[in-house]
């Protein structure tokens, strides 16, 4: 490009990101929310909120399985942890192949009561939208997300190259200066979490690279193989122990790993070949990938008879790829790390949004009224403020649509897209500051009232949540309030600027003062 | 006719469009050839090759796109894209032919 390297990179940074910025904002926000996918699932299934912790949860699970699946060849118990409050039970049933893992039940760990949560896509919709979008063939969605992610990667690299003083930007923010403030805000959010932005973008592209590189390997299409129906189980007499040695086994495993047991798999329950397999969040290496946990196998007496070692990567290339996979999806992360990644994701979302706004602010004086510029202004409102409205509406629809309503899952998602479409239309009609104020206010209102909505539409009110330290639910409500506060602050800022412009007096030059100056002597006079 | 074509190609918007095509498509095919070439001497299983090529491809592709937009002269972009692709694919074909 004409001009020096920085000038070329500035051009490339501007155009590679503005053309992808609108869909990128949605991808970044949904990706950030996906770090807490299970918590969002939980919040969106209020029937589960009455569950409370119980140290004897495993016994409750065992008794349920004896009563409801006595002939199953295998039982699986997922114990409550810091992210899930309920007991999840799975068992195999040759007559039921509707679910990959077989039939499932969710119990209150304290009472053993079976909970029937409402049908909802929950946080899984946001998670899937992040890389599959919605309503289109998966390969098409992967291509779109892949191209947009590649544009983001180019935007990040060119953004780094074009920066004159990248380290100084850590400490630079000039408020109340319109264009410069937007520039500083964009730079700070980009630079503060730059390593995160780089790896999350690169790793994201790698995860869907199979479709983008159809000439490489199987082109991203792996055939799982058909799940053959299990042969019918023979009727065999089973003897169930009144008190299996769970305490002994769990104490042994927890002492070895230093973390609580999370899953218990019971093979051949009630038979001589009974085996217990215990596993937990005891990941030893991120480079091992998804099978990076050790598990212990115990016999009926609770004695450890086998150790299933954690997987390891076969070579450096696989290890690096596994790092990318694990880091992108935060499968290894504890609560603190997850919150840090979430915060970095918020910075990334602000980076993308502020970049789109900065583009418009920079050109507003010269290009106001031009078709292309007005189009970008309209798109900015719908894709940023409108998207926040759509997310808020999605959560509200979850609670306002009846729990037993059959088509509720589809209508929750439809509400999301209908609201988003309406905000785009409104954004194109009201493209000025007024449009931003209205949409940001609506989003702020939706998020502000989420805790109230939660308390009145859940099976247990907020007081129960506070009493039982229901952190997954409480954090969702707290985060909704923080989001609302940020949105209200944006509204306040926009209104304050508008008022300042109105009240600023027009400055008139003061009238020239009459001064009695001596007359200049006429020519020839002394 | 010739003058019209020259005028069209000299149009700044057309030049940007052509440079973008070179970077995106020329870069894609060049990165494809280069990543396949780099993976040849690696002793890996098929799955490991696939993973390695993925990582190499996007690294090389990013560098090629950045380079295409860094070069000042338009003609240099066209020539270097063509030459790089020609060389990479020629060497790849030759090496694959030898190792087959």
């Amino acid at each position: 490009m004409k001009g020096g390297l920085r000038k070329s990179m500035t051009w490339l940074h501007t155009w590679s990101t503005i053309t992808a910025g609108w869909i990128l904002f949605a991808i970044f926000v949904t990706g950030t929310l996906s770090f807490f996918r299970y918590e969002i699932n939980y919040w969106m299934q209020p029937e589960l909120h009455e569950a409370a912790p119980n140290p004897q949860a495993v016994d409750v699970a065992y008794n349920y399985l004896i009563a409801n699946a006595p002939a199953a060849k295998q039982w699986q118990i997922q114990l409550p942890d810091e992210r899930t409050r309920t007991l999840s039970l799975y068992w195999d049933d040759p007559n039921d192949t509707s679910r990959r893992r077989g039939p499932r039940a969710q119990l209150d760990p304290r009472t053993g009561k079976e909970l029937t949560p409402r049908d909802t896509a929950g946080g899984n919709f946001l998670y899937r939208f992040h890389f599959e979008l919605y309503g289109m063939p998966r390969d098409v969605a992967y291509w779109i997300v892949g191209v947009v992610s590649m544009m983001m990667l180019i935007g990040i690299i060119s953004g780094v190259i074009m920066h004159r003083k990248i380290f100084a930007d850590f400490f630079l923010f000039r408020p109340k200066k319109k264009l410069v403030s937007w520039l500083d805000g964009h730079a700070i959010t980009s630079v503060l979490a730059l390593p995160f932005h780089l790896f999350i973008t690169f790793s994201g592209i790698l995860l869907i690279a199979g479709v983008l590189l159809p000439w490489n390997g199987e082109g991203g299409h792996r055939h799982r193989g058909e799940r053959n129906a299990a042969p019918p189980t023979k009727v065999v007499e089973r003897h169930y122990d009144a008190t299996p040695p769970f305490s002994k086994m769990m104490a042994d495993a927890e002492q070895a790993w230093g973390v609580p047991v999370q899953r218990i798999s019971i093979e051949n329950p009630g038979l001589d070949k009974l085996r217990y397999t215990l596993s937990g969040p005891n990941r030893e290496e991120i480079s091992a990938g998804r099978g990076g946990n050790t598990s212990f196998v115990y016999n009926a007496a609770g004695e450890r008879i086998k150790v299933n070692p954690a997987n390891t990567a076969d070579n450096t290339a696989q290890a690096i790829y596994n790092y990318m996979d694990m880091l992108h999806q935060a499968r290894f992360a504890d609560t603190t790390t997850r919150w840090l990644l979430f915060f970095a994701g918020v910075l990334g979302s602000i980076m993308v949004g502020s970049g789109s706004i900065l583009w418009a602010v920079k050109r507003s004086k010269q290009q106001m009224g031009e078709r292309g510029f007005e189009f970008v202004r309209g798109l900015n409102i719908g894709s940023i403020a409108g998207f926040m409205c759509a997310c808020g509406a999605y959560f509200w629809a979850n609670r306002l649509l009846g729990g037993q309503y059959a088509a509720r899952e589809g209508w929750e998602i439809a509400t999301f897209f209908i609201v988003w479409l309406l905000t785009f239309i409104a954004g194109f009609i009201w493209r000025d500051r007024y449009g931003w104020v209205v949409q940001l206010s609506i989003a702020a209102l939706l998020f502000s009232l989420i805790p109230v909505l939660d308390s009145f539409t859940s099976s247990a009110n907020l007081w129960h949540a506070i009493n039982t330290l229901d952190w997954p639910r409480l954090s969702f409500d707290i985060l909704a309030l923080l989001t609302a506060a940020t949105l209200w602050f944006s509204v306040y800022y926009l209104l304050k600027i508008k008022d300042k412009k109105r009240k600023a007096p027009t400055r008139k030059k003061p009238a020239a003062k009459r001064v009695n100056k001596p007359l200049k002597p006429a020519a020839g006079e002394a | 006719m010739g003058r019209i074509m020259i005028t069209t190609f000299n149009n700044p918007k057309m030049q940007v469009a052509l440079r973008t095509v070179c970077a995106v498509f020329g870069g894609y095919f060049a990165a494809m050839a280069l990543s396949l070439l780099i993976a040849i001497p690696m002793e890996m299983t098929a799955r490991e090759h696939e993973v390695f090529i993925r990582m190499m491809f996007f690294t090389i592709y990013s560098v090629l796109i950045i380079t295409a937009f860094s070069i000042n002269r338009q003609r240099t972009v066209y020539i270097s894209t063509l030459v790089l692709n020609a060389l990479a694919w020629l060497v790849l074909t030759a090496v694959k032919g030898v190792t087959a």
Side-chain angles (χ1 to χ4, degrees), chain A residues 97-125:
Chain A
T97 53
S98 57
R99 281 180 163 272
R100 194 164 61 90
R101 289 170 79 176
R104 180 192 184 187
Q106 279 184 283
L107 308 186
D108 180 346
R110 190 183 41 176
T111 61
K113 177 186 168 190
E114 187 170 350
L115 304 168
T116 31
R118 60 189 56 189
D119 275 338
T120 177
N124 295 332
F125 161 68

Side-chain angles (χ1 to χ4, degrees), chain A residues 1 3 212 222 315 321, chain B residues 28 47-48 50 54 71-72:
Chain A
M1 306 290 288
L212 303 176
R222 291 201 178 282
N315 57 44
Y321 184 84
Chain B
Y28 184 96
R47 171 71 183 149
E48 289 157 9
E50 188 186 330
R54 279 190 195 189
I71 297 171
N72 266 340

Side-chain angles (χ1 to χ4, degrees), chain A residues 74-94:
Chain A
Q74 188 184 61
W75 296 338
Q76 290 188 41
I77 302 170
Q78 183 93 20
L79 294 169
D81 58 20
E82 55 187 12
R83 301 188 69 192
T84 51
R85 301 265 293 181
T86 56
L87 271 168
S88 293
L89 310 179
Y90 305 85
W91 60 93
D92 68 321
D93 180 347

Side-chain angles (χ1 to χ4, degrees), chain A residues 176-225:
Chain A
K176 302 177 185 175
K177 296 222 168 150
K178 206 182 176 187
L179 178 63
V180 170
S181 302
W182 277 110
L183 193 60
D184 288 346
H186 178 67
I188 283 179
T189 51
S190 314
V191 171
L192 263 179
L194 184 59
F196 170 83
H197 301 321
L198 266 169
F199 95 68
I200 207 81
T201 310
F202 190 73
S203 58
I205 296 172
L206 282 187
L207 288 176
I208 57 174
V211 170
L212 303 176
L213 311 179
W215 42 268
N216 183 30
E218 292 176 28
H221 298 285
R222 291 201 178 282
H223 299 284
R224 279 200 166 142

Side-chain angles (χ1 to χ4, degrees), chain A residues 9 12, chain B residues 19 61-72 77:
Chain A
M9 290 300 103
L12 183 62
Chain B
R19 190 184 282 256
Y61 193 26
S62 308
V63 169
L64 291 177
I65 291 177
I66 295 284
T67 307
F69 282 96
S70 308
I71 297 171
N72 266 340
V77 175

Side-chain angles (χ1 to χ4, degrees), chain A residues 100-101 127-128 132 138 142 218 220-228 290 331:
Chain A
R100 194 164 61 90
R101 289 170 79 176
Y127 166 71
R128 294 221 157 255
E132 280 183 358
R138 183 184 283 186
Y142 277 20
E218 292 176 28
H221 298 285
R222 291 201 178 282
H223 299 284
R224 279 200 166 142
E226 287 180 13
R227 191 161 176 254
N228 296 323
R290 297 189 188 193
R331 288 182 187 274

